[in-house]
Amino acid sequence: MTTHGDPATRSGAPAVAARTDPPDAAEEPPATTGDDSLPGALSGLREAIGATRYPLALPSANSARHSATALTDQLDDYLLPRLARLDAPLLVVVGGSTGAGKSTLVNSLVKARVSAAGVLRPTTRSPVLVCNPSDAAWFRQGDLLPGLTRTTEPSDDPRALHLVTAPALPAGLAFLDAPDIDSVVDANRALATQLLAAADLWLFVTTAARYADAVPWELLRSARTRGAVIAMVLDRVPAEATDEIAAHLTEMLAEQDLGRAPLFVLPETWVDGQGLLPEGVTAPLADWFARLAADVDARAAVVRQTLDGALAALHPAVEDLADAADEQLAAADGLDERVRAAYRGAERTVEQGLQDGRLLRGEVLARWQEFVGTGELFRTLEARIGRLRDRVVAAVTGRPAPAAELRNAIESQLVTLLRGVASEAAESAYTGWKAHPAGAGLLDPALAHPSDDLPERAERMVRDWQRGVLELVRVEGGDKRFVARTAAYAVNATGLAVMIAVFASTAFIPTGLELATGAGTTVAAQAVLQAIFGDQAVRTLAAKARTDLLDRVRTLLDAEADRFLSRTADARPAEDAGDGLRRAAGRVELARHRSGLSAADEEDSR
C-alpha cells in the first residue's frame, strides 16, 4: 500500500486544527454545566425537534422529516454521549460501497476475523464494533448509539450492534464496520448513514472501479459540511494504474475541498487462509492509526474538530426545519381560511335570505295569509278562546290549526335553506382543499357533502329557535306597558308574528313584492299588530329574534366547518414551532462558543 500527497497531511496525524497547549483529553470534563450548558442546550434542541411534525403534504415535508430524524439520531447517537465523555475511545466508522472490502480491511487491521466478509451482497447485515478489551465497557453500556441492541454474537438484525474485542487493536481506538452505503436494502443504507453521523473519524473505503460513484461523494460532501475528520482508502488498485487513479482521486478530493484528507492506496493482492490482507499491505494504515491511538492530543483534536463541525452544522439544518415548520403552519392557515370563507359565504346567504324576503314566499306566505286572512290571528290573540278553538278545529278537520301549520312552514323553509347553504359550503371547501397539495391529502369523500345528520340538527335548531322566540316574548312582556297591552293575548300568536317579522328587512313585511303577494290581509295584519303591541316593540323583538337565529345558524355551520378544521388542527405544528426551533438552535450556538469547542474561538485564542 502507498499513500499520496503531502506526508504531513496524507499519512501523518489527521489534518485538524489542534488547540494551543491542549489539556489532557482524559481529564476534560463536559464543556459547561448548568442550565446554559452545551449538553443542556442540545437536550432542549432535541426536545424541540422531536415536538415538531411535518404531516402536511408539502414539497419540504419529506426532506424535513428525514432531516429531523437524522438530527435526532445524531444528537442521541453521538453529540450528547460524546459531550458527556470527551475522553471516550475514538470511534472510527468504516463506510463505503458494496464490495469495497470494508470488512476484510477491518479484519486485517485488528488481525482477527471479527467481521464477516464474502462474495454475497450485502455481506454486513448488522454493524460490527471492534475495540481493545480495556475499552469494551464504554461501548457495552450503550451511551453511544443507544438505539442499537448490544450483542456478543453475529446477527442478521440491522438494529443489533455486534461487539467484539481484539487485543491487537490499540486502546483508545475502535472500528465500526458499517453496512454498505449503497446497499440494495433500504434499512442498511439508512443505518450506514446514521452510523457515519456517529463517527469521530470517517474512514471511507472505495475501489479503483467505483471511486467516482455518486453515492460516496454525496456522503463525503455531507462530511465536509459537518467538518468531520475523514480518511480515504482506495482499494484493489491494479499496479499499472496506481499513479493515474490515485492522482485522479486526489484531484476529485481537492475539487470537493477535501484535499487534506489522508489517502491510502491498497494494491490488488491476495488474502490468507483467514481472509486477511498481507501485513505489508496494511502496515502504513495500521501505523497511522497506531500513532493516532497513542497520541492523546491528536485524538482530542480529532474529537474536537468532528464534534465542533457537527455542532456548527446544526444551526443551518435546524433553520431549514424551522422554515419547513413555518410552511406547515402557513399551509394549515391557508386551508383553514378556505373552509372559513366557504362557511362565511353560507352565513351571508342565510342573512340575505332574512333580509330580502325570500323566506316569506311559498308555503310560509300561504300559511301566514291563512293565519291572518281567516281571522285566526285575532282569535288566537285571545289566549283562552284561541286554545279552545285550536282543539275544536283539530278535532273536526283532522288537521293542525293554522298556527301550527304556519310554525311548521317556517321550520321547513329554514331547514331547506340551511341544507342548501351547508351543501354549497361543503362543496366549496372540498374543492378548495382538493386544489391544494396539502389539502388533498387530508380529504375524505364524505367531506364533499354535509354531515349525514345535518337535517336532523337543523330541524332541532329551528325548533329551539322557535321556542326561544316564545320565551323572548314572555321575557319582554315584563315591561309594564307591554304587559298592559298584551296581558290578555296569547304568547304563541305574538311569537309567530315575530318569526314572520324576522323574515323581512324591517320590523314586519316590508317589500313591495311581499305587500303585493300578501294583498290586503298582510297590510291589515301589520297595522293591527303594530297598533296592539307598538311598532318599536315588534321591531325590538324581531331584531333580537333575528340575532338569535343567526347565532344559532353560525353555531350549526361552525360544526360543519369543524369537520375540515379538525383535520388541520391535528396536522398543524404549534404556532411558534419554527421560532422555537430557531431559539433552541441559537442557544446551542451560544453554548458552543462558550464551551471553547468552536474552531473560530480556537483561532481567536491564538
Side-chain angles (χ1 to χ4, degrees), residues 167-425:
L169 184 63
L173 188 68
F175 290 118
L176 197 161
D177 186 9
D180 300 329
I181 59 175
D182 56 356
S183 172
V184 296
V185 181
D186 291 343
N188 281 0
R189 292 198 308 275
L191 180 58
T193 302
Q194 179 182 349
L195 295 178
L196 289 172
D200 292 312
L201 189 153
W202 294 11
L203 182 64
F204 277 87
V205 182
T206 187
T207 66
R210 304 196 60 182
Y211 70 89
D213 287 358
V215 173
W217 286 100
E218 181 178 347
L219 288 174
L220 285 168
R221 283 190 289 270
S222 174
R224 178 202 62 200
T225 300
R226 296 179 184 179
V229 178
I230 304 168
M232 294 284 296
V233 173
L234 182 61
D235 196 10
R236 299 173 186 164
V237 182
E240 65 276 11
T242 298
D243 291 340
E244 179 183 354
I245 294 176
H248 186 215
L249 179 54
T250 299
E251 291 176 4
M252 295 180 68
L253 288 168
E255 289 173 359
Q256 298 297 328
D257 197 23
L258 292 168
R260 290 169 59 85
L263 173 61
F264 298 88
V265 180
L266 278 68
E268 285 185 321
T269 187
W270 47 267
V271 295
D272 64 18
Q274 290 185 304
L276 307 182
L277 295 169
E279 288 191 21
V281 170
T282 59
L285 183 59
D287 291 344
W288 185 78
F289 277 122
R291 291 194 300 273
L292 179 60
D295 189 337
V296 173
D297 290 346
R299 290 204 316 271
V302 170
V303 169
R304 284 181 170 281
Q305 177 172 321
T306 299
L307 189 57
D308 181 60
L311 291 170
L314 288 176
H315 198 278
V318 174
E319 182 64 34
D320 289 341
L321 291 184
D323 290 343
D326 291 343
E327 290 180 19
Q328 291 276 315
L329 189 60
D333 289 341
L335 293 174
D336 285 353
E337 179 54 31
R338 295 187 185 199
V339 172
R340 293 192 175 100
Y343 284 93
R344 281 198 303 268
E347 291 179 28
R348 284 195 298 269
T349 301
V350 173
E351 189 170 4
Q352 291 168 0
L354 298 180
Q355 292 175 346
D356 61 19
R358 77 181 70 171
L359 292 172
L360 285 171
R361 300 163 194 166
E363 184 74 8
V364 172
L365 185 57
R367 295 308 170 201
W368 171 247
Q369 289 176 327
E370 178 181 349
F371 185 54
V372 175
T374 60
E376 180 71 8
L377 170 63
F378 306 107
R379 283 188 289 271
T380 54
L381 283 175
E382 188 70 40
R384 287 174 295 177
I385 296 175
R387 286 195 297 271
L388 176 61
R389 184 182 183 281
D390 287 346
R391 289 196 294 269
V392 172
V393 169
V396 173
T397 65
R399 55 175 287 184
E405 290 187 333
L406 174 58
R407 186 165 53 251
N408 291 338
I410 292 173
E411 176 185 330
S412 176
Q413 193 83 319
L414 275 174
V415 170
T416 299
L417 176 62
L418 291 172
R419 292 179 67 175
V421 299
S423 180
E424 292 175 1

Side-chain angles (χ1 to χ4, degrees), residues 149-187:
T149 302
R150 271 53 174 172
T151 176
T152 57
E153 299 293 335
S155 173
D156 290 337
D157 181 1
R159 303 306 300 178
L161 181 61
H162 181 199
L163 298 180
V164 184
T165 58
L169 184 63
L173 188 68
F175 290 118
L176 197 161
D177 186 9
D180 300 329
I181 59 175
D182 56 356
S183 172
V184 296
V185 181
D186 291 343

Side-chain angles (χ1 to χ4, degrees), residues 231 369 414 436 451 506:
Q369 289 176 327
L414 275 174
H436 193 291
S451 302
T506 62

